[in-house]
PDB file of all heavy atoms in Angstrom:
ATOM      1  N   SER A   1       9.872  12.018   3.568  1.00 88.00           N
ATOM      2  CA  SER A   1       9.717  10.648   4.001  1.00 88.00           C
ATOM      3  C   SER A   1       8.785   9.914   2.948  1.00 88.00           C
ATOM      4  O   SER A   1       8.842   8.679   2.988  1.00 88.00           O
ATOM      5  CB  SER A   1       9.029  10.616   5.376  1.00 88.00           C
ATOM      6  OG  SER A   1       7.749  11.165   5.412  1.00 88.00           O
ATOM      7  N   LEU A   2       8.040  10.666   2.243  1.00 87.00           N
ATOM      8  CA  LEU A   2       7.141   9.994   1.233  1.00 87.00           C
ATOM      9  C   LEU A   2       7.628   9.985  -0.182  1.00 87.00           C
ATOM     10  O   LEU A   2       7.045   9.615  -1.133  1.00 87.00           O
ATOM     11  CB  LEU A   2       5.760  10.625   1.242  1.00 87.00           C
ATOM     12  CG  LEU A   2       4.975  10.461   2.538  1.00 87.00           C
ATOM     13  CD1 LEU A   2       3.584  11.211   2.394  1.00 87.00           C
ATOM     14  CD2 LEU A   2       4.710   9.037   2.914  1.00 87.00           C
ATOM     15  N   SER A   3       8.969  10.410  -0.370  1.00 85.00           N
ATOM     16  CA  SER A   3       9.514  10.477  -1.606  1.00 85.00           C
ATOM     17  C   SER A   3      10.147   9.111  -1.979  1.00 85.00           C
ATOM     18  O   SER A   3      10.496   8.318  -1.080  1.00 85.00           O
ATOM     19  CB  SER A   3      10.693  11.496  -1.693  1.00 85.00           C
ATOM     20  OG  SER A   3      10.127  12.886  -1.473  1.00 85.00           O
ATOM     21  N   THR A   4      10.344   8.848  -3.209  1.00 81.00           N
ATOM     22  CA  THR A   4      10.822   7.537  -3.671  1.00 81.00           C
ATOM     23  C   THR A   4      12.328   7.461  -3.305  1.00 81.00           C
ATOM     24  O   THR A   4      12.875   6.319  -3.288  1.00 81.00           O
ATOM     25  CB  THR A   4      10.710   7.441  -5.196  1.00 81.00           C
ATOM     26  OG1 THR A   4      11.303   8.557  -5.789  1.00 81.00           O
ATOM     27  CG2 THR A   4       9.232   7.381  -5.577  1.00 81.00           C
ATOM     28  N   THR A   5      13.035   8.497  -3.018  1.00 75.00           N
ATOM     29  CA  THR A   5      14.438   8.564  -2.691  1.00 75.00           C
ATOM     30  C   THR A   5      14.637   8.419  -1.196  1.00 75.00           C
ATOM     31  O   THR A   5      15.807   8.428  -0.705  1.00 75.00           O
ATOM     32  CB  THR A   5      15.006   9.740  -3.167  1.00 75.00           C
ATOM     33  OG1 THR A   5      14.409  10.940  -2.633  1.00 75.00           O
ATOM     34  CG2 THR A   5      15.175   9.847  -4.688  1.00 75.00           C
ATOM     35  N   ALA A   6      13.616   8.305  -0.391  1.00 65.00           N
ATOM     36  CA  ALA A   6      13.653   8.161   1.067  1.00 65.00           C
ATOM     37  C   ALA A   6      14.315   6.878   1.480  1.00 65.00           C
ATOM     38  O   ALA A   6      14.985   6.770   2.512  1.00 65.00           O
ATOM     39  CB  ALA A   6      12.284   8.327   1.755  1.00 65.00           C
ATOM     40  N   SER A   7      14.220   5.778   0.688  1.00 66.00           N
ATOM     41  CA  SER A   7      14.686   4.500   1.100  1.00 66.00           C
ATOM     42  C   SER A   7      15.507   3.935  -0.117  1.00 66.00           C
ATOM     43  O   SER A   7      15.062   4.097  -1.238  1.00 66.00           O
ATOM     44  CB  SER A   7      13.548   3.527   1.442  1.00 66.00           C
ATOM     45  OG  SER A   7      14.093   2.251   1.691  1.00 66.00           O
ATOM     46  N   SER A   8      16.688   3.445   0.177  1.00 56.00           N
ATOM     47  CA  SER A   8      17.527   2.808  -0.848  1.00 56.00           C
ATOM     48  C   SER A   8      17.055   1.402  -1.192  1.00 56.00           C
ATOM     49  O   SER A   8      17.375   0.869  -2.322  1.00 56.00           O
ATOM     50  CB  SER A   8      19.055   2.694  -0.376  1.00 56.00           C
ATOM     51  OG  SER A   8      19.083   1.976   0.757  1.00 56.00           O
ATOM     52  N   LYS A   9      16.245   0.789  -0.447  1.00 62.00           N
ATOM     53  CA  LYS A   9      15.809  -0.548  -0.665  1.00 62.00           C
ATOM     54  C   LYS A   9      14.519  -0.647  -1.570  1.00 62.00           C
ATOM     55  O   LYS A   9      14.300  -1.452  -2.383  1.00 62.00           O
ATOM     56  CB  LYS A   9      15.582  -1.351   0.627  1.00 62.00           C
ATOM     57  CG  LYS A   9      16.864  -1.512   1.435  1.00 62.00           C
ATOM     58  CD  LYS A   9      16.618  -2.337   2.710  1.00 62.00           C
ATOM     59  CE  LYS A   9      17.782  -2.504   3.508  1.00 62.00           C
ATOM     60  NZ  LYS A   9      17.588  -3.281   4.709  1.00 62.00           N
ATOM     61  N   SER A  10      13.567   0.272  -1.250  1.00 69.00           N
ATOM     62  CA  SER A  10      12.228   0.213  -1.918  1.00 69.00           C
ATOM     63  C   SER A  10      11.719   1.573  -2.164  1.00 69.00           C
ATOM     64  O   SER A  10      11.951   2.510  -1.331  1.00 69.00           O
ATOM     65  CB  SER A  10      11.278  -0.549  -1.060  1.00 69.00           C
ATOM     66  OG  SER A  10      10.021  -0.495  -1.692  1.00 69.00           O
ATOM     67  N   SER A  11      11.161   1.854  -3.391  1.00 75.00           N
ATOM     68  CA  SER A  11      10.559   3.157  -3.721  1.00 75.00           C
ATOM     69  C   SER A  11       9.094   3.247  -3.218  1.00 75.00           C
ATOM     70  O   SER A  11       8.583   4.305  -3.258  1.00 75.00           O
ATOM     71  CB  SER A  11      10.669   3.378  -5.246  1.00 75.00           C
ATOM     72  OG  SER A  11      12.064   3.370  -5.616  1.00 75.00           O
ATOM     73  N   LEU A  12       8.539   2.218  -2.923  1.00 86.00           N
ATOM     74  CA  LEU A  12       7.161   2.184  -2.505  1.00 86.00           C
ATOM     75  C   LEU A  12       7.104   2.253  -0.957  1.00 86.00           C
ATOM     76  O   LEU A  12       7.634   1.369  -0.255  1.00 86.00           O
ATOM     77  CB  LEU A  12       6.368   0.886  -2.978  1.00 86.00           C
ATOM     78  CG  LEU A  12       6.223   0.803  -4.515  1.00 86.00           C
ATOM     79  CD1 LEU A  12       5.407  -0.556  -4.856  1.00 86.00           C
ATOM     80  CD2 LEU A  12       5.490   1.977  -5.064  1.00 86.00           C
ATOM     81  N   VAL A  13       6.390   3.205  -0.454  1.00 88.00           N
ATOM     82  CA  VAL A  13       6.187   3.383   0.976  1.00 88.00           C
ATOM     83  C   VAL A  13       4.948   2.681   1.423  1.00 88.00           C
ATOM     84  O   VAL A  13       3.918   2.567   0.803  1.00 88.00           O
ATOM     85  CB  VAL A  13       5.995   4.877   1.276  1.00 88.00           C
ATOM     86  CG1 VAL A  13       5.716   5.072   2.773  1.00 88.00           C
ATOM     87  CG2 VAL A  13       7.169   5.708   0.850  1.00 88.00           C
ATOM     88  N   PRO A  14       5.144   1.744   2.521  1.00 89.00           N
ATOM     89  CA  PRO A  14       3.960   1.080   3.050  1.00 89.00           C
ATOM     90  C   PRO A  14       2.798   1.920   3.375  1.00 89.00           C
ATOM     91  O   PRO A  14       2.872   3.107   3.677  1.00 89.00           O
ATOM     92  CB  PRO A  14       4.538   0.339   4.328  1.00 89.00           C
ATOM     93  CG  PRO A  14       5.966   0.355   4.074  1.00 89.00           C
ATOM     94  CD  PRO A  14       6.339   1.578   3.317  1.00 89.00           C
ATOM     95  N   ALA A  15       1.685   1.241   3.287  1.00 90.00           N
ATOM     96  CA  ALA A  15       0.371   2.068   3.521  1.00 90.00           C
ATOM     97  C   ALA A  15       0.306   2.591   4.902  1.00 90.00           C
ATOM     98  O   ALA A  15      -0.197   3.842   5.100  1.00 90.00           O
ATOM     99  CB  ALA A  15      -0.857   1.199   3.268  1.00 90.00           C
ATOM    100  N   TYR A  16       0.810   1.929   5.941  1.00 90.00           N
ATOM    101  CA  TYR A  16       0.762   2.456   7.299  1.00 90.00           C
ATOM    102  C   TYR A  16       1.639   3.652   7.512  1.00 90.00           C
ATOM    103  O   TYR A  16       1.326   4.555   8.245  1.00 90.00           O
ATOM    104  CB  TYR A  16       1.119   1.361   8.265  1.00 90.00           C
ATOM    105  CG  TYR A  16       2.566   1.060   8.324  1.00 90.00           C
ATOM    106  CD1 TYR A  16       3.379   1.716   9.269  1.00 90.00           C
ATOM    107  CD2 TYR A  16       3.141   0.036   7.548  1.00 90.00           C
ATOM    108  CE1 TYR A  16       4.750   1.427   9.282  1.00 90.00           C
ATOM    109  CE2 TYR A  16       4.487  -0.183   7.614  1.00 90.00           C
ATOM    110  CZ  TYR A  16       5.348   0.479   8.385  1.00 90.00           C
ATOM    111  OH  TYR A  16       6.654   0.166   8.516  1.00 90.00           O
ATOM    112  N   ARG A  17       2.665   3.736   6.772  1.00 91.00           N
ATOM    113  CA  ARG A  17       3.593   4.923   6.820  1.00 91.00           C
ATOM    114  C   ARG A  17       2.947   6.124   6.167  1.00 91.00           C
ATOM    115  O   ARG A  17       3.097   7.268   6.560  1.00 91.00           O
ATOM    116  CB  ARG A  17       4.917   4.628   6.285  1.00 91.00           C
ATOM    117  CG  ARG A  17       5.841   3.793   7.100  1.00 91.00           C
ATOM    118  CD  ARG A  17       7.194   3.564   6.456  1.00 91.00           C
ATOM    119  NE  ARG A  17       7.705   4.820   6.061  1.00 91.00           N
ATOM    120  CZ  ARG A  17       8.906   5.030   5.234  1.00 91.00           C
ATOM    121  NH1 ARG A  17       9.536   3.890   4.820  1.00 91.00           N
ATOM    122  NH2 ARG A  17       9.304   6.121   4.909  1.00 91.00           N
ATOM    123  N   ILE A  18       2.116   5.856   5.070  1.00 91.00           N
ATOM    124  CA  ILE A  18       1.461   6.967   4.356  1.00 91.00           C
ATOM    125  C   ILE A  18       0.435   7.578   5.350  1.00 91.00           C
ATOM    126  O   ILE A  18       0.324   8.773   5.475  1.00 91.00           O
ATOM    127  CB  ILE A  18       0.763   6.473   3.033  1.00 91.00           C
ATOM    128  CG1 ILE A  18       1.865   5.829   2.142  1.00 91.00           C
ATOM    129  CG2 ILE A  18       0.108   7.586   2.373  1.00 91.00           C
ATOM    130  CD1 ILE A  18       1.302   5.208   0.950  1.00 91.00           C
ATOM    131  N   THR A  19      -0.427   6.678   5.912  1.00 91.00           N
ATOM    132  CA  THR A  19      -1.451   7.223   6.765  1.00 91.00           C
ATOM    133  C   THR A  19      -0.835   7.843   8.040  1.00 91.00           C
ATOM    134  O   THR A  19      -1.315   8.822   8.615  1.00 91.00           O
ATOM    135  CB  THR A  19      -2.365   6.037   7.276  1.00 91.00           C
ATOM    136  OG1 THR A  19      -1.518   4.997   7.859  1.00 91.00           O
ATOM    137  CG2 THR A  19      -3.118   5.429   6.102  1.00 91.00           C
ATOM    138  N   GLU A  20       0.297   7.344   8.554  1.00 91.00           N
ATOM    139  CA  GLU A  20       0.966   7.959   9.678  1.00 91.00           C
ATOM    140  C   GLU A  20       1.474   9.270   9.388  1.00 91.00           C
ATOM    141  O   GLU A  20       1.341  10.319  10.168  1.00 91.00           O
ATOM    142  CB  GLU A  20       2.117   7.098  10.112  1.00 91.00           C
ATOM    143  CG  GLU A  20       2.896   7.565  11.307  1.00 91.00           C
ATOM    144  CD  GLU A  20       4.079   6.633  11.726  1.00 91.00           C
ATOM    145  OE1 GLU A  20       4.209   5.560  11.104  1.00 91.00           O
ATOM    146  OE2 GLU A  20       4.832   7.045  12.555  1.00 91.00           O
ATOM    147  N   ALA A  21       2.050   9.527   8.130  1.00 90.00           N
ATOM    148  CA  ALA A  21       2.535  10.829   7.753  1.00 90.00           C
ATOM    149  C   ALA A  21       1.322  11.823   7.588  1.00 90.00           C
ATOM    150  O   ALA A  21       1.436  12.983   8.013  1.00 90.00           O
ATOM    151  CB  ALA A  21       3.285  10.708   6.426  1.00 90.00           C
ATOM    152  N   LEU A  22       0.209  11.399   7.064  1.00 90.00           N
ATOM    153  CA  LEU A  22      -0.945  12.248   6.878  1.00 90.00           C
ATOM    154  C   LEU A  22      -1.475  12.679   8.292  1.00 90.00           C
ATOM    155  O   LEU A  22      -1.926  13.753   8.521  1.00 90.00           O
ATOM    156  CB  LEU A  22      -2.032  11.566   6.153  1.00 90.00           C
ATOM    157  CG  LEU A  22      -1.730  11.339   4.694  1.00 90.00           C
ATOM    158  CD1 LEU A  22      -2.884  10.559   3.919  1.00 90.00           C
ATOM    159  CD2 LEU A  22      -1.474  12.611   3.886  1.00 90.00           C
ATOM    160  N   GLN A  23      -1.498  11.690   9.328  1.00 90.00           N
ATOM    161  CA  GLN A  23      -1.930  12.077  10.617  1.00 90.00           C
ATOM    162  C   GLN A  23      -1.006  13.048  11.313  1.00 90.00           C
ATOM    163  O   GLN A  23      -1.416  13.924  12.015  1.00 90.00           O
ATOM    164  CB  GLN A  23      -2.076  10.695  11.420  1.00 90.00           C
ATOM    165  CG  GLN A  23      -3.270   9.918  10.944  1.00 90.00           C
ATOM    166  CD  GLN A  23      -3.190   8.543  11.669  1.00 90.00           C
ATOM    167  OE1 GLN A  23      -2.426   8.251  12.433  1.00 90.00           O
ATOM    168  NE2 GLN A  23      -4.261   7.711  11.370  1.00 90.00           N
ATOM    169  N   ARG A  24       0.305  12.829  11.129  1.00 89.00           N
ATOM    170  CA  ARG A  24       1.284  13.708  11.809  1.00 89.00           C
ATOM    171  C   ARG A  24       1.286  15.109  11.136  1.00 89.00           C
ATOM    172  O   ARG A  24       1.660  16.037  11.820  1.00 89.00           O
ATOM    173  CB  ARG A  24       2.684  13.095  11.650  1.00 89.00           C
ATOM    174  CG  ARG A  24       2.893  11.824  12.507  1.00 89.00           C
ATOM    175  CD  ARG A  24       4.337  11.262  12.173  1.00 89.00           C
ATOM    176  NE  ARG A  24       5.285  12.211  12.439  1.00 89.00           N
ATOM    177  CZ  ARG A  24       6.578  12.036  12.031  1.00 89.00           C
ATOM    178  NH1 ARG A  24       6.882  10.959  11.423  1.00 89.00           N
ATOM    179  NH2 ARG A  24       7.459  12.992  12.312  1.00 89.00           N
ATOM    180  N   ALA A  25       0.869  15.152   9.890  1.00 85.00           N
ATOM    181  CA  ALA A  25       0.830  16.423   9.252  1.00 85.00           C
ATOM    182  C   ALA A  25      -0.166  17.443   9.747  1.00 85.00           C
ATOM    183  O   ALA A  25       0.040  18.660   9.718  1.00 85.00           O
ATOM    184  CB  ALA A  25       0.652  16.253   7.719  1.00 85.00           C
ATOM    185  N   ASP A  26      -1.307  16.907  10.357  1.00 84.00           N
ATOM    186  CA  ASP A  26      -2.325  17.766  10.920  1.00 84.00           C
ATOM    187  C   ASP A  26      -2.708  18.854   9.968  1.00 84.00           C
ATOM    188  O   ASP A  26      -2.591  20.136  10.230  1.00 84.00           O
ATOM    189  CB  ASP A  26      -1.866  18.372  12.246  1.00 84.00           C
ATOM    190  CG  ASP A  26      -2.935  19.038  13.034  1.00 84.00           C
ATOM    191  OD1 ASP A  26      -4.182  18.731  12.786  1.00 84.00           O
ATOM    192  OD2 ASP A  26      -2.627  19.955  13.854  1.00 84.00           O
ATOM    193  N   LEU A  27      -3.209  18.441   8.745  1.00 81.00           N
ATOM    194  CA  LEU A  27      -3.520  19.350   7.677  1.00 81.00           C
ATOM    195  C   LEU A  27      -4.654  20.274   8.033  1.00 81.00           C
ATOM    196  O   LEU A  27      -5.492  19.865   8.842  1.00 81.00           O
ATOM    197  CB  LEU A  27      -3.839  18.584   6.394  1.00 81.00           C
ATOM    198  CG  LEU A  27      -2.693  17.638   5.942  1.00 81.00           C
ATOM    199  CD1 LEU A  27      -3.175  16.883   4.740  1.00 81.00           C
ATOM    200  CD2 LEU A  27      -1.457  18.494   5.540  1.00 81.00           C
ATOM    201  N   SER A  28      -4.766  21.437   7.303  1.00 73.00           N
ATOM    202  CA  SER A  28      -5.742  22.437   7.760  1.00 73.00           C
ATOM    203  C   SER A  28      -7.125  21.985   7.175  1.00 73.00           C
ATOM    204  O   SER A  28      -7.230  21.302   6.252  1.00 73.00           O
ATOM    205  CB  SER A  28      -5.364  23.812   7.137  1.00 73.00           C
ATOM    206  OG  SER A  28      -5.262  23.643   5.688  1.00 73.00           O
ATOM    207  N   SER A  29      -8.126  22.318   7.991  1.00 68.00           N
ATOM    208  CA  SER A  29      -9.541  21.886   7.716  1.00 68.00           C
ATOM    209  C   SER A  29     -10.280  23.126   7.122  1.00 68.00           C
ATOM    210  O   SER A  29     -11.461  23.155   7.117  1.00 68.00           O
ATOM    211  CB  SER A  29     -10.248  21.418   8.974  1.00 68.00           C
ATOM    212  OG  SER A  29     -10.188  22.422   9.943  1.00 68.00           O
ATOM    213  N   SER A  30      -9.604  24.038   6.607  1.00 60.00           N
ATOM    214  CA  SER A  30     -10.170  25.136   5.897  1.00 60.00           C
ATOM    215  C   SER A  30      -9.419  25.526   4.595  1.00 60.00           C
ATOM    216  O   SER A  30      -8.279  25.058   4.424  1.00 60.00           O
ATOM    217  CB  SER A  30     -10.226  26.446   6.794  1.00 60.00           C
ATOM    218  OG  SER A  30      -8.928  26.830   7.063  1.00 60.00           O
ATOM    219  N   CYS A  31     -10.094  26.283   3.807  1.00 56.00           N
ATOM    220  CA  CYS A  31      -9.477  26.687   2.515  1.00 56.00           C
ATOM    221  C   CYS A  31      -8.586  27.995   2.689  1.00 56.00           C
ATOM    222  O   CYS A  31      -8.018  28.485   1.693  1.00 56.00           O
ATOM    223  CB  CYS A  31     -10.459  26.947   1.451  1.00 56.00           C
ATOM    224  SG  CYS A  31     -11.437  25.531   1.106  1.00 56.00           S
ATOM    225  N   THR A  32      -8.438  28.400   3.947  1.00 46.00           N
ATOM    226  CA  THR A  32      -7.572  29.537   4.196  1.00 46.00           C
ATOM    227  C   THR A  32      -8.142  30.756   3.477  1.00 46.00           C
ATOM    228  O   THR A  32      -9.034  31.509   3.818  1.00 46.00           O
ATOM    229  CB  THR A  32      -6.094  29.281   3.922  1.00 46.00           C
ATOM    230  OG1 THR A  32      -5.771  28.017   4.465  1.00 46.00           O
ATOM    231  CG2 THR A  32      -5.190  30.277   4.638  1.00 46.00           C
ATOM    232  N   THR A  33      -7.429  31.126   2.359  1.00 41.00           N
ATOM    233  CA  THR A  33      -7.856  32.293   1.536  1.00 41.00           C
ATOM    234  C   THR A  33      -8.348  31.860   0.182  1.00 41.00           C
ATOM    235  O   THR A  33      -7.949  32.337  -0.816  1.00 41.00           O
ATOM    236  CB  THR A  33      -6.554  33.214   1.345  1.00 41.00           C
ATOM    237  OG1 THR A  33      -5.526  32.406   0.707  1.00 41.00           O
ATOM    238  CG2 THR A  33      -6.105  33.760   2.688  1.00 41.00           C
ATOM    239  N   CYS A  34      -9.332  30.939   0.304  1.00 45.00           N
ATOM    240  CA  CYS A  34      -9.862  30.365  -0.943  1.00 45.00           C
ATOM    241  C   CYS A  34     -10.425  31.465  -1.840  1.00 45.00           C
ATOM    242  O   CYS A  34     -10.174  31.477  -3.065  1.00 45.00           O
ATOM    243  CB  CYS A  34     -10.987  29.373  -0.739  1.00 45.00           C
ATOM    244  SG  CYS A  34     -10.393  27.850   0.148  1.00 45.00           S
ATOM    245  N   SER A  35     -11.064  32.460  -1.202  1.00 38.00           N
ATOM    246  CA  SER A  35     -11.698  33.501  -2.036  1.00 38.00           C
ATOM    247  C   SER A  35     -10.631  34.372  -2.647  1.00 38.00           C
ATOM    248  O   SER A  35     -11.016  35.169  -3.647  1.00 38.00           O
ATOM    249  CB  SER A  35     -12.714  34.291  -1.246  1.00 38.00           C
ATOM    250  OG  SER A  35     -12.007  34.874  -0.133  1.00 38.00           O
ATOM    251  N   ASN A  36      -9.461  34.473  -2.103  1.00 40.00           N
ATOM    252  CA  ASN A  36      -8.419  35.291  -2.685  1.00 40.00           C
ATOM    253  C   ASN A  36      -7.394  34.622  -3.535  1.00 40.00           C
ATOM    254  O   ASN A  36      -6.415  35.261  -3.974  1.00 40.00           O
ATOM    255  CB  ASN A  36      -7.730  36.096  -1.511  1.00 40.00           C
ATOM    256  CG  ASN A  36      -8.699  36.965  -0.737  1.00 40.00           C
ATOM    257  OD1 ASN A  36      -9.614  37.401  -1.275  1.00 40.00           O
ATOM    258  ND2 ASN A  36      -8.437  37.016   0.650  1.00 40.00           N
ATOM    259  N   TRP A  37      -7.555  33.335  -3.637  1.00 37.00           N
ATOM    260  CA  TRP A  37      -6.478  32.606  -4.432  1.00 37.00           C
ATOM    261  C   TRP A  37      -6.628  32.977  -5.915  1.00 37.00           C
ATOM    262  O   TRP A  37      -5.549  32.920  -6.609  1.00 37.00           O
ATOM    263  CB  TRP A  37      -6.683  31.092  -4.347  1.00 37.00           C
ATOM    264  CG  TRP A  37      -6.218  30.614  -3.021  1.00 37.00           C
ATOM    265  CD1 TRP A  37      -5.616  31.291  -2.032  1.00 37.00           C
ATOM    266  CD2 TRP A  37      -6.338  29.299  -2.473  1.00 37.00           C
ATOM    267  NE1 TRP A  37      -5.348  30.573  -1.028  1.00 37.00           N
ATOM    268  CE2 TRP A  37      -5.721  29.231  -1.231  1.00 37.00           C
ATOM    269  CE3 TRP A  37      -6.803  28.124  -3.001  1.00 37.00           C
ATOM    270  CZ2 TRP A  37      -5.637  28.143  -0.474  1.00 37.00           C
ATOM    271  CZ3 TRP A  37      -6.713  27.049  -2.279  1.00 37.00           C
ATOM    272  CH2 TRP A  37      -6.154  27.026  -1.068  1.00 37.00           C
ATOM    273  N   PHE A  38      -7.685  33.357  -6.433  1.00 37.00           N
ATOM    274  CA  PHE A  38      -7.758  33.681  -7.882  1.00 37.00           C
ATOM    275  C   PHE A  38      -8.232  35.136  -7.998  1.00 37.00           C
ATOM    276  O   PHE A  38      -9.465  35.414  -7.928  1.00 37.00           O
ATOM    277  CB  PHE A  38      -8.707  32.767  -8.588  1.00 37.00           C
ATOM    278  CG  PHE A  38      -8.093  31.408  -8.724  1.00 37.00           C
ATOM    279  CD1 PHE A  38      -8.341  30.451  -7.761  1.00 37.00           C
ATOM    280  CD2 PHE A  38      -7.356  31.138  -9.782  1.00 37.00           C
ATOM    281  CE1 PHE A  38      -7.827  29.205  -7.876  1.00 37.00           C
ATOM    282  CE2 PHE A  38      -6.785  29.875  -9.905  1.00 37.00           C
ATOM    283  CZ  PHE A  38      -7.035  28.889  -8.937  1.00 37.00           C
TER     284      PHE A  38
END
């Protein structure tokens, strides 16, 4: 939904849709396995 190919009319996604996507994503609040990534 945030890709430039999501809409045939405009490649720029409105700001409210960006924030809405980030809120719906419910991203993790931890680094998970930060100490094991490297």
Side-chain angles (χ1 to χ4, degrees):
S1 67
L2 295 180
S3 298
T4 56
T5 57
S7 175
S8 59
K9 296 182 179 180
S10 176
S11 297
L12 294 179
V13 178
Y16 74 91
R17 282 183 52 192
I18 301 175
T19 56
E20 181 182 352
L22 292 176
Q23 292 172 357
R24 291 175 56 192
D26 191 19
L27 300 176
S28 59
S29 58
S30 64
C31 300
T32 314
T33 57
C34 294
S35 58
N36 297 326
W37 283 358
F38 288 90

